[in-house]
């Protein structure tokens, strides 16, 4: 079996680069918009980027940048999105994606300007 997910969205916060025993990983929080009954709904993805691509993402991406992500969903042990409790006590869930490709869609000169607004 095989599955792949692709989407375009904006970073909701600065990338977080971490060094683990298995290598470097960069966590991206990416928002996408869908419309249901003429109402906009934002869907958030937690994207994990590994290796050399992780370092490049951490160095070049910033909050507000537009990215294309290709990868696969990384569900919990039951095959569902990961469920958590927010700081305000409300339940939440996020879709985790293991990225195989991340394309930076915001030009570098605009990327620097976006930081003034986000």
């Amino acid at each position: 079996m095989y599955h792949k997910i692709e989407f375009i969205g904006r970073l909701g916060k600065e990338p977080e680069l971490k060094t683990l025993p298995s290598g470097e990983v960069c966590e991206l929080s990416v928002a996408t918009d869908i419309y249901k009954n003429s109402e906009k709904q934002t869907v958030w993805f937690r994207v994990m980027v590994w290796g050399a691509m992780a370092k490049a993402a951490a160095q070049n991406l910033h909050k507000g940048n537009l990215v294309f992500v290709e990868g696969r969903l990384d569900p919990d042990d039951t095959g569902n999105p990961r469920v958590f409790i927010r700081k305000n006590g409300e339940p939440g869930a996020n879709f985790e994606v293991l990225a195989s490709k991340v394309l930076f869609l915001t030009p570098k000169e605009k990327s620097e300007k976006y930081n003034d607004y986000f």
Side-chain angles (χ1 to χ4, degrees), residues 34-108:
I34 60 173
Y35 292 87
K36 287 186 174 181
N37 301 325
S38 300
E39 289 187 32
K40 183 171 89 167
Q41 182 180 20
T42 301
V43 178
W44 288 91
F45 293 92
R46 181 176 176 221
V47 179
M48 308 306 282
V49 184
W50 290 88
M53 191 170 43
K55 187 174 272 189
Q59 291 174 344
N60 295 292
L61 292 175
H62 300 284
K63 182 179 177 180
N65 285 165
L66 190 65
V67 293
F68 166 85
V69 176
E70 177 180 290
R72 67 176 177 84
L73 290 174
D74 185 26
D76 69 8
D77 293 336
T78 64
N80 294 305
R82 297 189 189 277
V83 177
F84 62 93
I85 302 297
R86 292 186 170 96
K87 292 178 184 175
N88 66 4
E90 296 284 321
N94 65 22
F95 299 94
E96 290 193 10
V97 175
L98 297 177
S100 57
K101 182 189 294 185
V102 177
L103 300 178
F104 309 163
L105 301 179
T106 301
K108 187 169 183 167

